Amino acid sequence: MSFSNPVLRDDIFLREDEREVSEQRMTIGGTVKKTLLLLVLLIVSGSITWYMTYEGTVEVLSLLTAGFIGMAAVALAISFFPKTAPLLSPVYAILSGFALGGVSAFMEYEYPGIVANAILLTVGILFLMLFMYTQRIIKVTRGFISFVVLCTMAIFLMTLVDFILNFFGMNVPYIHETGWLGIGISLFIVIIAALNLLVDFNFIEEQADQGAPKYMEWYGAFALLVTLVWLYVRILDLLAKFSKRD
């Protein structure tokens, strides 16, 4: 999920040499490179739990648990302390891989072909959103950002309540159903996750234009990876609901 852009002082770099300042500033190109590095780490670690799941290795459950718990803890740490992003973002990517690799393997076993479709849709949506952002087909205004953030928080709260209710043998109504209402809810969540990509692009562009510190490249890459992971998981859920209807 995306977070509010920090406001930087205009005079933060005024006392430094111009070339040194340039080297210490965030750039879009640097953020792209770091995002690709995080994706590579996620894929490598995900391949480990994917292989362990299909081999029936008992330790895969430990990796899955550590992955999910670690993802949440590291994401919170980076969100509240952005300066830790250069150190913790790779850790988040590795833990995400451990979690997603196992989940993807289980889903693939249950619904053959679902993972490839989910990956293609995630990549397709990423490039579609990037095209729409660069061409200004969708303008990311403050009102747009507020709408996306509010919807994201509502989805997060709903998911949290559903998680708590699971301990008592209950669920939030409709969200797990395979009827058209349940599918509609999942589709809405996928759309909000996709719109979060636009907010991430805007965040990265604004921070680079404002001359944000170099470590914000890692923070921007981390924010983008969080959204991509969320989008992929929600697409898996949506495709699984369609598969259950067949």
Side-chain angles (χ1 to χ4, degrees):
M1 288 178 279
S2 304
F3 305 92
S4 300
N5 297 353
V7 179
L8 303 176
R9 298 197 316 272
D10 293 335
D11 62 347
I12 193 168
F13 298 113
L14 291 182
R15 297 182 181 179
E16 301 184 51
D17 178 79
E18 185 176 349
R19 181 177 179 182
E20 184 180 353
V21 170
S22 178
E23 291 175 350
Q24 292 179 358
R25 287 179 177 174
M26 174 186 183
T27 65
I28 294 177
T31 306
V32 171
K33 291 177 182 178
K34 290 172 175 59
T35 303
L36 292 175
L37 175 59
L38 294 182
L39 286 173
V40 169
L41 291 175
L42 185 150
I43 292 170
V44 171
S45 59
S47 299
I48 295 174
T49 46
W50 175 283
Y51 175 79
M52 291 175 65
T53 303
Y54 271 93
E55 288 296 311
T57 307
V58 177
E59 288 80 2
V60 68
L61 294 177
S62 300
L63 278 178
L64 275 170
T65 304
F68 280 115
I69 296 176
M71 282 173 63
V74 173
L76 286 174
I78 297 175
S79 301
F80 286 106
F81 305 100
K83 288 186 178 181
T84 64
L87 176 64
L88 295 182
S89 292
V91 176
Y92 176 83
I94 293 171
L95 292 172
S96 296
F98 287 152
L100 294 186
V103 169
S104 297
F106 284 125
M107 294 291 284
E108 182 68 19
Y109 179 80
E110 187 73 20
Y111 311 104
I114 191 173
V115 170
N117 290 330
I119 292 174
L120 288 174
L121 282 172
T122 302
V123 173
I125 290 174
L126 171 63
F127 282 104
L128 176 62
M129 292 296 105
L130 183 59
F131 173 79
M132 296 180 76
Y133 180 78
T134 56
Q135 300 301 313
R136 299 300 190 259
I137 296 175
I138 297 180
K139 294 183 179 180
V140 183
T141 63
R142 294 303 168 192
F144 176 86
I145 293 174
S146 297
F147 168 76
V148 173
V149 171
L150 285 174
C151 289
T152 301
M153 293 305 298
I155 292 169
F156 171 76
L157 289 175
M158 180 184 69
T159 304
L160 180 62
V161 170
D162 183 67
F163 176 77
I164 295 173
L165 288 178
N166 276 330
F167 289 103
F168 302 96
M170 298 182 290
N171 297 109
V172 174
Y174 305 116
I175 66 172
H176 298 291
E177 294 183 4
T178 58
W180 289 114
L181 181 57
I183 289 176
I185 293 173
S186 293
L187 181 60
F188 174 76
I189 296 175
V190 168
I191 292 172
I192 295 300
L195 294 180
N196 266 277
L197 290 172
L198 297 176
V199 178
D200 292 336
F201 297 151
N202 182 73
F203 170 79
I204 293 169
E205 184 178 36
E206 282 192 352
Q207 292 301 299
D209 289 343
Q210 293 174 11
K214 195 70 173 177
Y215 68 82
M216 290 301 291
E217 290 180 352
W218 286 102
Y219 189 84
F222 156 74
L224 192 54
L225 184 66
V226 170
T227 302
L228 287 172
V229 168
W230 184 37
L231 177 62
Y232 171 74
V233 170
R234 300 316 306 186
I235 289 175
L236 272 180
D237 176 68
L238 179 61
L239 293 179
K241 287 183 177 180
F242 276 115
S243 298
K244 289 177 182 178
R245 291 181 60 87
D246 294 341

